[in-house]
Amino acid sequence: AGMGNTGVSPADNANAMFWNPAGLAFQNKTQVGLTHANWLPQFDAGLFYEYLVGTYHVDGVGTFGGNVTYFNLGEIEITDGDGNTRGTYRSYEVAVGVSYGYLVSERLGFGTSLRGIYSKLSPEIERQGIQSGTASTLAGDLSMLYRTAPFDLGGSKTTFSTGFNLANMGGRLKYNESKDPLPMNLRFGYALTVDFDEYNSLTFANDFNKELVNVESREVPQGDTTVTKTEADPFYEALFSSWGTARGEQRQGEGAASLSVIEQFTVGTGLEYWYSDLFALRTGYYYEDPDNGGREFLNFGAGLRYNIVGVDISYIYTLERDSPLANTLRFSLLFEFQK
């Protein structure tokens, strides 16, 4: 996260399950990690994100992983039509998943993940006329990672890696009559790591991300008139139908923009410097077209490894004004054990 969200090719620890499960194929140690972030801190709404991961390698079989994601959406107050308080409830989302990575050759690894997702946006309260905002579904990932043998570049030992992760293939979250698609996406990129000597190394990474969701609008008869309803393609159709022109962001006083395929991509670029595999400095840049959300920010981060413990931190500095992502901090702990 400190490298502009470039993780598909550098994926080299237990957190590879998030960025690219194929990264597990190159790992042969047992790891346990925890990540925490206050979400959208500018809203001061008590939102936070927790991510727990663990991996275990079996010789000749591959590397297995498990993860739990918990997203707290804060406390919500229930009011009646007159504005009187009728209690509160907490909204959250949780996903529990398993991952597996396997080396098909010394340089090529494949990975997959399967997760169950549960979303509780609101409880059903009949006396208040509140319908249930609870939904669940399954999703899976397919991924690949290739790493070259070290080669000489300007007198320094260099490694090139490239990979992709097709993530969140699965069902839709059905809240009553609404069926919301999962944010299925294709992430691909590359990384170049240069070891200048036994103490100093530098990694340059570049990620591209395309959301694979296609939502169609249609007119539905209702009584003496018609209403417009939107419906998302199932994931196996969206794999192909989401590559056309898409409807962009609605701007005040303007019509919605039409997004070309290129404008639908987000781009991340990052740098990571390591000293003696003990201390790391990171920075990155993330860009999204203004008509496709307009997220644009710089990332900064640092990492420390000592014995079996690793500590990492990342920070978002937004380039657009009044962004709810501004000043987002993410912390993580990683414990690595020899078999």
Side-chain angles (χ1 to χ4, degrees):
M3 299 171 64
N5 290 340
T6 57
V8 71
S9 293
D12 58 2
N13 59 36
N15 291 306
M17 281 178 275
F18 178 86
W19 304 101
N20 184 355
L24 297 180
F26 294 85
Q27 302 176 36
N28 57 13
K29 297 178 181 178
T30 299
Q31 295 184 333
V32 177
L34 176 66
T35 297
H36 168 80
N38 289 327
W39 209 254
L40 305 180
Q42 299 299 94
F43 289 159
D44 193 25
L47 313 184
F48 64 85
Y49 167 92
E50 308 283 359
Y51 186 60
L52 175 67
V53 295
T55 63
Y56 184 78
H57 177 75
V58 180
D59 292 337
V61 178
T63 302
F64 297 87
N67 60 84
V68 179
T69 306
Y70 178 77
F71 186 22
N72 176 65
L73 294 168
E75 188 175 79
I76 299 173
E77 185 177 289
I78 303 170
T79 60
D80 60 22
D82 297 323
N84 301 310
T85 299
R86 299 300 183 184
T88 61
Y89 65 88
R90 289 191 173 274
S91 295
Y92 64 90
E93 295 181 317
V94 63
V96 179
V98 292
S99 299
Y100 172 69
Y102 180 74
L103 277 178
V104 297
S105 71
E106 185 180 2
R107 301 298 171 191
L108 179 63
F110 286 91
T112 186
S113 294
L114 178 67
R115 71 185 65 85
I117 301 168
Y118 178 78
S119 173
K120 184 179 180 182
L121 301 183
S122 68
E124 182 175 4
I125 307 176
E126 292 184 6
R127 67 180 184 275
Q128 298 294 331
I130 299 176
Q131 296 181 322
S132 174
T134 300
S136 60
T137 190
L138 295 174
D141 306 342
L142 289 175
S143 62
M144 180 276 291
L145 183 61
Y146 175 78
R147 287 181 177 159
T148 68
F151 59 91
D152 184 81
L153 182 66
S156 299
K157 185 173 72 172
T158 304
T159 303
F160 177 81
S161 59
T162 184
F164 75 85
N165 183 24
L166 181 57
N168 282 328
M169 295 180 291
R172 289 171 284 186
L173 291 170
K174 183 179 179 182
Y175 303 97
N176 293 304
E177 300 304 318
S178 171
K179 291 183 179 180
D180 294 340
L182 295 177
M184 182 173 66
N185 66 88
L186 174 64
R187 181 191 296 272
F188 61 93
Y190 62 89
L192 189 73
T193 299
V194 181
D195 296 319
F196 297 103
D197 52 42
E198 60 179 315
Y199 298 107
N200 300 280
S201 70
L202 184 69
T203 296
F204 172 81
N206 207 186
D207 269 21
F208 305 89
N209 195 83
K210 168 70 170 69
E211 189 175 80
L212 302 180
V213 175
N214 187 54
V215 180
E216 300 286 349
S217 298
R218 56 190 177 90
E219 299 294 325
V220 178
Q222 191 174 74
D224 296 330
T225 184
T226 60
V227 295
T228 302
K229 287 193 174 183
T230 58
E231 186 171 341
D233 290 345
F235 80 91
Y236 48 84
E237 293 182 10
L239 283 170
F240 307 98
S241 63
S242 60
W243 292 92
T245 300
R247 187 177 178 85
E249 192 173 78
Q250 185 78 36
R251 295 182 176 275
Q252 188 173 1
E254 302 177 10
S258 294
L259 291 173
S260 69
V261 172
I262 295 299
E263 290 172 318
Q264 295 172 44
F265 278 87
T266 60
V267 182
T269 302
L271 284 173
E272 178 183 56
Y273 165 77
W274 274 100
Y275 175 75
S276 192
D277 290 330
L278 293 175
F279 179 72
L281 291 174
R282 307 180 180 101
T283 188
Y285 169 69
Y286 183 88
Y287 175 80
E288 182 178 54
D289 188 272
D291 290 323
N292 193 29
R295 290 174 295 170
E296 186 180 11
F297 51 79
L298 298 174
N299 291 98
F300 302 95
L304 182 67
R305 300 288 183 269
Y306 180 75
N307 202 348
I308 67 169
V309 182
V311 180
D312 295 280
I313 184 173
S314 69
Y315 173 79
I316 288 179
Y317 176 81
T318 56
L319 299 180
E320 67 269 31
R321 298 179 60 183
D322 301 322
S323 170
L325 293 173
N327 303 318
T328 298
L329 282 168
R330 186 175 303 193
F331 303 89
S332 69
L333 283 173
L334 186 70
F335 299 90
E336 182 175 281
F337 307 96
Q338 299 287 344
K339 289 191 63 178

